Amino acid sequence: MSHETTDIEYLFQDPKIHLDERVRDLVSRLTLEEKIESMLQYQPAIDRLGVAAYKHGTEAAHGIAWLGEATSFPQPVGLACTWDTELMRQIGSVIADEARVYYRRDPKLNGLTLWAPTVDMERDPRWGRNEEAYGEDPYLTGELSKELVKGIQGDHPVYLKAVATLKHFLGNNNEVDRGSGSSSIDPRNLREYYLRAFEKPFMEGRAQSMMTSYNLINGTPATLYHGVNDIVRDEWGMDGFVVSDAGDVMGIVNDHQYYDSHTPGVAESIRAGIDSITDDAELSKRAIREALAQGSLQEEDLDRALFHTFRVRFRLGEFDPAADNPYASIGEEALMTEQARELSLRAAREQIVLLKNEHELLPLDPARCGKVAVIGTHGNEVYRDWYSGTLPYRVTPLEAIRTKLEGEDEKERVVYLDAKDRVTLTAANDGSKLAVDSSGEMRLSQDGDPTVLTMTDWGYGSVTLHDEHLGTYVTSDEITLRVTADEAYGWYVKEVFGLTPVGQGEHLWTTWNGKPVIAGTEGSLKVGEAEKSALNAVECNVSTASTVSGQSHTTFQVETVSDGLAEAIAAAQAADTAIVFVGNHPLINGKEENDRPGLELAASQQRLIEEVYRVNPNTIVVLTGSYPFAIPWVQEHIPAIVYTSHAGQEHGTAIADVLFGDYAPAGRLNMTWVQSEDQLGDIKDYDIIRGGRTYQYFEGVSLYPFGHGLTYSPFEYSDLRTDALKDSVTSIAALDAMDTLQVWVEVTNRGVAAGEEVVQLYVRPGASRVKRPLKTLCGFQRIRLEAGETRTVSFTIRMKDWAIWDVTRDCYCVESGEYTLLAGASSADIRLEHPVYVRGDVIPPRQARRSIRAENFDDCSDIVLDESKEQKEVCVRPRAPQRSGWIAFHGVDMDTVSVAELQCRVSGNSSDATIELCLDAPDSEAVARVNVGNTGGAQAWVTLSEAVHSVSGIRDVYLLLSGEVRLAHFILDDHATEDSGFQA
């Protein structure tokens, strides 16, 4: 909307009035029905007030998606490997520019509230959406996402270029059961890890929107989680709006089965902080009307939510003259500019990580590398993920390599083998052969020649089939198969099949969802129905498939017409240099709704690498992936290994630039790469402290450590120092817990060419009351140095950022003691150390007479956190009813009171539900036992007491929970009194 001051009819139209007053005025003029209608993602036009229709939510993870062609950038997992904050801000600015272009084309459908960045912590590399986020470290994630937010939203004091929506809040790091499962996160993990990534983009980046996650958090649906209001709004001061993920408000009933009807879930979601509902519009509006009629929702609740959403729309300039808003003039000239293309290439280059470079095999010299064999599917492809958008063009590695080596003898110097098998399929029962006609129709016939299909093996039972003559893929619907798909792509990737051996050279051919391909009438192919007992070979990773009873199904013989591996071996043997391209397809074997089945490369890719290396020792492996891989054999044998994410339109150019030395790689890993999946725990275990997750707590031997990445030039570190003065007692640099520390280190390029280095600064805490990280990232800079150049790299560190969450007092606390600064090129490549002493806090012992919340344990075993619906607080329970678990509270002072009683707020749902009190060790003799039994159900809460044998001193308290029992809080006292702080 654009108008002149003289056209002002309502107060909200006057740009001279304070923003909040304008927003309140607009909301006050809406009828109740208009308010209800405006609570949805698609806000309707209100013509009588001159309010236009608006849609919340445009996907923009690494470029504008789904609206048309737009500049594409590397996947966020790759962007994080740049460790480049300035780059992130520039990318955010380009994304916002292009969002403005599409908004001007159709403001009703192409909104400026962008659903990016994904800030979820990646504590497990098996997560299906790993490509969408920024890694395992909250500091790195916070810094990078903060700068992307700043780029998206712009730097104008009044207007926003676009709006960044941080997602998904909170604890969303597994896809299987994400809509029904609960993430168990105790206060220390929550405050020191999961929340910290979100804090910076809100408090420093001023992100104006946030999306909640699908999962429950300690038993509470994320849409109802108290932290949306208590933490994000009240603590961090977020003054924008909160949106639910698609379908998740209805998911309170449909998936979580938390309520029996939609009305209470919708009402409570709005009260808990959801301002915009992305869900079934009619169901949502009906539930809001019912909640208003019942009194569980007030009109003021809608007013508050609409204040948040409309306030953001005002800041986007919608209600002001275009001349006042510097972003309103952005037009078609801002779409896919040359500057944006250059930025895409810069990002694609910067994110490449050189994992290994033995004998300085890289960079290749075009004059000396001789004949080059480019081998593997990824060598001539650029794949896109679900949120990639429409690439304006794509440069494959093969194309870029040929450009590097072009000349009169180009074809002789570069040979390409995709290493795929070409196969025919024959029905085993009657020998009829599969043929494809020019329209893509597939039939089984006794006559004529069979159609040769190119088969790509993606591992774990997943293959794609491609007709090179038609240039299309085999795809399926619920009934038939056709060869008509341009690529393997979609929410459900229906171009993925299983060809599972079932004996005697026969294969069961299954579709993407595990249904058998069967022979129909007159040679047609049909999709059969699979019983529940029939295993899906694609998703379940089985070597044999169950038979489908009750129907006449078909098995197929797969005949190899040309052996892709044999051809690749021959090409490698005839070449001077072999470059093997391997990796994942971003929509197969790991994506939204599907976690990865394993960390290894597809077995066919692993064998390809091994066989090529066997005949050509000058083998380079280029690994394109949306996530870390477990490749110990490759690391041990292959001399040079390069990692890249799926990097968008300039993917191939960037790879070739690195391989041939036109760009020196300097990317650094944003996640620890483990040796094998055996080094990981349960993907649903969110306790990184006790589970030993991420570089902060992992004590095993990694394949590649967090922050790892090699360069073509050696960099030397020297003179790590700080501005802290030496303490007269400790004789080391000392400062107070609220101080800011300046740190400097000298870095020199000792190579013969310019290069980039990512200087990393970590802190290692000393003695502590609790288990602390082995080290934690506290600063980083990506710098470029000319050959021989030395630069002083500086860091500013706030001591309060070294705080832990003190569970004894529910607050952040910087402990007194010695800390060691560590400067180096990765978390494992530490070059210099420097101690500092912090005059902070000494956490006192817990007082026995005070009520202690069960979630505030110091240690635990076989325990999960859940919800006590009684007071909307967190309780603990054994991980499984048939197993016991314990929680520990260290350093409880028993001397301040004569302990005579253990009093617990509990619920029990089995006759064997008990709580035992032990001291100093979980297996010591119990000094009290509370027989809880069945209190009337899991959420039927009672207060039970039991006498305690005489105890004294400062002791470690262990509470052993057995059976179906829940504990919310407890107290140790001479007797429970009101002034003890214990509440029923």
Side-chain angles (χ1 to χ4, degrees), residues 435-588:
V436 181
D437 67 21
S438 59
S439 68
E441 293 288 344
M442 307 179 71
R443 301 189 68 80
L444 292 169
S445 174
Q446 298 284 353
D447 303 320
D449 295 326
T451 296
V452 177
L453 297 174
T454 302
M455 183 171 67
T456 305
D457 177 8
W458 295 105
Y460 303 102
S462 299
V463 301
T464 52
L465 298 166
H466 183 257
D467 187 319
E468 291 181 307
H469 177 70
L470 295 178
T472 50
Y473 286 85
V474 180
T475 188
S476 67
D477 55 28
E478 292 301 312
I479 301 174
T480 61
L481 279 74
R482 292 173 59 85
V483 190
T484 55
D486 292 329
E487 60 180 327
Y489 186 81
W491 182 259
Y492 300 112
V493 187
K494 298 180 180 180
E495 295 72 44
V496 176
F497 296 92
L499 283 169
T500 306
V502 291
Q504 298 180 346
E506 298 180 16
H507 296 75
L508 180 66
W509 188 2
T510 50
T511 62
W512 65 276
N513 55 353
K515 295 183 178 181
V517 176
I518 61 176
T521 59
E522 298 182 355
S524 64
L525 285 179
K526 295 178 59 178
V527 177
E529 290 297 326
E531 291 185 349
K532 292 182 179 179
S533 60
L535 294 176
N536 177 358
V538 176
E539 296 294 337
C540 299
N541 185 27
V542 293
S543 58
T544 60
S546 299
T547 58
V548 184
S549 60
Q551 62 182 332
S552 176
H553 65 279
T554 306
T555 58
F556 292 84
Q557 292 179 336
V558 181
E559 181 180 345
T560 301
V561 176
S562 63
D563 186 330
L565 177 61
E567 293 171 345
I569 293 171
Q573 195 165 19
D576 300 289
T577 304
I579 309 175
V580 182
F581 287 83
V582 294
N584 79 306
H585 188 296
L587 289 171
I588 300 174

Side-chain angles (χ1 to χ4, degrees), residues 139-160:
Y139 182 87
L140 178 66
T141 296
E143 288 291 330
L144 296 176
S145 58
K146 173 188 74 177
E147 294 303 320
L148 188 78
V149 167
K150 288 181 177 180
I152 287 173
Q153 298 190 165
D155 55 7
H156 194 274
V158 176
Y159 296 105
L160 300 165

Side-chain angles (χ1 to χ4, degrees), residues 819-891:
Y819 296 76
T820 304
L821 291 166
L822 311 167
S826 82
S827 62
D829 185 5
I830 300 301
R831 310 289 180 83
L832 300 170
E833 299 186 5
H834 184 86
V836 294
Y837 187 85
V838 179
R839 295 181 289 264
D841 201 359
V842 176
I843 300 174
R846 296 179 191 261
Q847 297 301 306
R849 200 168 183 266
R850 294 178 181 170
S851 177
I852 300 175
R853 295 203 311 276
E855 66 171 325
N856 277 335
F857 52 77
D858 290 306
D859 201 0
C860 70
S861 176
D862 280 326
I863 287 291
V864 296
L865 289 90
D866 209 332
E867 182 188 53
S868 166
K869 292 187 179 181
E870 178 185 53
Q871 295 180 354
K872 289 296 181 184
E873 64 178 330
V874 177
C875 65
V876 301
R877 62 172 173 82
R879 185 174 299 277
Q882 65 274 21
R883 296 168 63 180
S884 298
W886 55 258
I887 50 178
F889 302 84
H890 297 153

Side-chain angles (χ1 to χ4, degrees), residues 620-652:
I620 300 159
V621 167
V622 177
L623 179 58
T624 301
S626 306
Y627 34 63
F629 291 88
I631 51 169
W633 187 96
V634 180
Q635 167 60 23
E636 180 181 354
H637 295 90
I638 301 301
I641 310 169
V642 172
Y643 166 71
T644 173
S645 73
H646 296 273
Q649 60 196 46
E650 292 287 351
H651 177 74

Side-chain angles (χ1 to χ4, degrees), residues 942-962:
V942 298
T943 299
L944 298 178
S945 303
E946 186 63 40
V948 178
H949 301 298
S950 179
V951 294
S952 62
I954 297 177
R955 311 289 291 273
D956 291 344
V957 170
Y958 288 82
L959 295 177
L960 279 65
L961 283 66
S962 301

